[in-house]
Amino acid sequence: MHDVVVIGAGPAGAAAAATAARAGLRTALIDKARFPRDKLCGGGFTGRSLGYYQQIYGAPRPDAPFLTRNEMAFYAFGEHLGTYQDCPPLHLAMRRSLDAEMFARAVAMGAEDYTGRGMSSLTPAGAVTLTDGTHLRGRIVIGADGVNSPSARVLFGSAFDRSKIGFALEVESEGDPDKLPVRIDFGAAEWGYGWAFPKYHGVTVGVGGVMQRNTDLKSALTNYLKFTGTQAHGPVKGQFLPFGQARKVPGLGTVLLAGDAAGLVDPITGEGIAYAMKSGQLAAQAAIRALSAGTPQSALAAYRADLRSITRAISQARNLRQLMFRPVFRSTFIRGFSRSSTLRQEYLRLLAGETEYADITRAVGRRLPALLWRTLAHTR
Ligand SMILES: Cc1cc2nc3c(=O)[nH]c(=O)nc-3n(C[C@H](O)[C@H](O)[C@H](O)COP(=O)(O)OP(=O)(O)OC[C@H]3O[C@@H](n4cnc5c(N)ncnc54)[C@H](O)[C@@H]3O)c2cc1C
């Protein structure tokens, strides 16, 4: 019997296991892969991610190869909005080394290593069977097994809602990372974006958007590679991206879901590492409190309440996404981003974790009459 069994050792699972083990709980950390393992991702590690990393691991930064950039180029619907030198730092890493580093920290803090075998069955009461036949029982289980979450499938019948899910394609490309800024293209996919992120050994290029609106994402990627002047070097890979559909109840019984398994990706920036780490930490903290009170079944309600700041931010971002991607607002958004330093700065401050969607929503609300007026003037 473990106090906490964590399924999945990505950013959410490693954060949960590190937090629980550091508090002295007997913690098992399961992953079907052995680390280091690859994970399809742009590897953009924002100031928000760095802040959460420092809170969780008590270290200044991950001990993994990092490229740090202050220069960012923005495009929207094929138009160059500007290249800015004074952005808050964005760190770029390969997930293979980043996740291995966080996993190692969780184990060093006392989590027991059950990697290299997957979860094959789970009950809402916390009985877990692994693919090698090992049986574990967790007084609390944290399902942090990614967007295709087997834990969520066991609990709810499906890992996500296909009508709302995002999908992304990515490819590694050759190019001199020193000569390239971080690049983000709003609208490179329908209700989504494209990115070209320099790394130590080349550039990661991708496009992603709401799946139902992107029936031919492969062509969107081909066009984007042409537009950015990059050559694919390696296979094109794809993965679901759970942006904008956070689970209303993140778990069942004594099983809590964290990270992508709970649908916690920002629908505007596509960022998921930060919320994965934070939700893993919050799930473990709820488990620690519930176990010390002797009421493991109270963990889910407490976690759900603590997660509200993230789920509210995601739903506010989903509303704001309308103003970016609805064709009627497009020209207003483009002009706003390229000419108003406020809109741009707010976006950058958001990535840095210096502001929240609640503040941006309030600011947009104040400016909405003027925004609508300008939009109407332009559509006449
Ligand atoms: C193309 C793309 C680009 C992205 N770019 C960025 C970016 O630049 N910056 C950013 O912040 N976010 C980005 N994201 C989002 C980010 O990758 C995710 O939000 C983040 O990885 C979520 O972390 P997680 O720990 O919840 O899940 P994951 O990182 O997916 O980890 C889940 C773990 O569960 C394990 N697992 C799965 N099934 C089982 C099982 N049966 N038993 C045991 N273990 C299991 C997996 O092996 C895996 O290690 C991107 C996503 C995509 C698809």
Side-chain angles (χ1 to χ4, degrees):
M1 170 70 91
H2 284 81
D3 295 313
V4 177
V5 171
V6 181
I7 305 169
T19 306
R22 191 156 62 175
L25 299 187
R26 187 170 178 214
T27 305
L29 180 54
I30 301 165
D31 202 292
K32 66 178 181 185
R34 276 200 197 287
F35 287 73
R37 59 99 178 90
D38 290 320
K39 158 77 178 86
L40 194 69
C41 184
F45 197 76
T46 62
R48 180 182 297 274
S49 292
L50 189 61
Y52 291 152
Y53 176 91
Q54 290 166 348
Q55 280 174 21
I56 292 161
Y57 297 105
R61 49 156 281 180
D63 192 12
F66 246 38
L67 209 63
T68 298
R69 285 294 168 81
N70 294 85
E71 187 186 14
M72 290 179 83
F74 291 100
Y75 292 74
F77 310 98
E79 203 172 303
H80 186 208
L81 303 181
T83 300
Y84 308 97
Q85 322 288 331
D86 54 349
C87 305
L90 180 73
H91 313 284
L92 301 136
M94 291 307 284
R95 289 289 297 276
R96 187 175 174 79
S97 43
L98 183 64
D99 289 17
E101 200 264 2
M102 293 194 272
F103 166 74
R105 283 192 185 273
V107 172
M109 286 175 178
E112 294 170 26
D113 179 353
Y114 282 89
T115 55
R117 49 216 140 145
M119 176 274 281
S120 62
S121 80
L122 164 72
T123 70
V128 181
T129 307
L130 306 187
T131 44
D132 66 353
T134 306
H135 294 287
L136 298 174
R137 183 168 276 279
R139 292 165 77 203
I140 290 180
V141 172
I142 298 175
D145 40 9
V147 63
N148 296 307
S149 176
S151 302
R153 273 189 265 147
V154 169
L155 300 180
F156 301 111
S158 64
F160 49 76
D161 176 349
R162 289 187 80 84
S163 69
K164 296 194 180 129
I165 196 80
F167 197 80
L169 291 177
E170 219 177 51
V171 68
E172 294 304 317
S173 155
E174 279 183 339
D176 184 353
D178 290 336
K179 292 200 180 124
L180 294 165
V182 169
R183 172 175 174 153
I184 294 178
D185 293 58
F186 303 108
E190 291 295 324
W191 288 64
Y193 39 82
W195 60 92
F197 286 176
K199 301 280 177 59
Y200 258 97
H201 306 291
V203 183
T204 305
V205 183
V207 291
V210 174
M211 189 172 81
Q212 281 214 330
R213 293 180 185 263
N214 285 278
T215 46
D216 190 5
L217 202 57
K218 267 196 180 152
S219 297
L221 180 65
T222 307
N223 293 339
Y224 188 57
L225 286 165
K226 255 190 230 148
F227 185 53
T228 53
T230 39
Q231 302 272 337
H233 182 71
V236 173
K237 294 184 184 165
Q239 196 173 71
F240 292 109
L241 190 59
F243 57 14
Q245 54 142 32
R247 270 193 189 277
K248 284 204 171 66
V249 183
L252 187 70
T254 51
V255 182
L256 318 181
L257 298 175
D260 278 11
L264 304 178
V265 169
D266 183 314
I268 288 182
T269 63
E271 182 182 14
I273 300 172
Y275 288 156
M277 285 193 288
K278 188 65 190 171
S279 60
Q281 182 197 34
L282 291 175
Q285 287 170 338
I288 295 164
R289 292 195 304 272
L291 291 176
S292 80
T295 55
Q297 65 285 358
S298 68
L300 177 56
Y303 172 52
R304 186 183 180 194
D306 293 345
L307 205 58
R308 213 154 276 154
S309 60
I310 295 180
T311 51
R312 199 177 294 135
I314 287 176
S315 89
Q316 284 160 342
R318 217 178 38 219
N319 294 336
L320 289 172
R321 191 166 64 170
Q322 304 280 335
L323 293 178
M324 292 172 73
F325 293 122
R326 279 218 175 275
V328 66
F329 293 120
R330 220 169 252 181
S331 60
T332 312
F333 170 70
I334 291 175
R335 272 179 290 116
F337 200 93
S338 51
R339 290 190 207 154
S340 145
S341 62
T342 320
L343 182 57
R344 193 169 60 244
Q345 286 305 335
E346 285 308 292
Y347 180 83
L348 293 170
R349 275 168 28 83
L350 188 78
L351 284 182
E354 293 166 5
T355 189
E356 299 299 334
Y357 279 112
D359 301 324
I360 298 181
T361 302
R362 270 192 294 277
V364 169
R366 278 197 299 275
R367 289 185 199 135
L368 203 56
L371 189 79
L372 290 174
W373 179 249
R374 261 182 265 141
T375 303
L376 277 174
H378 264 80
T379 46
R380 246 186 253 157

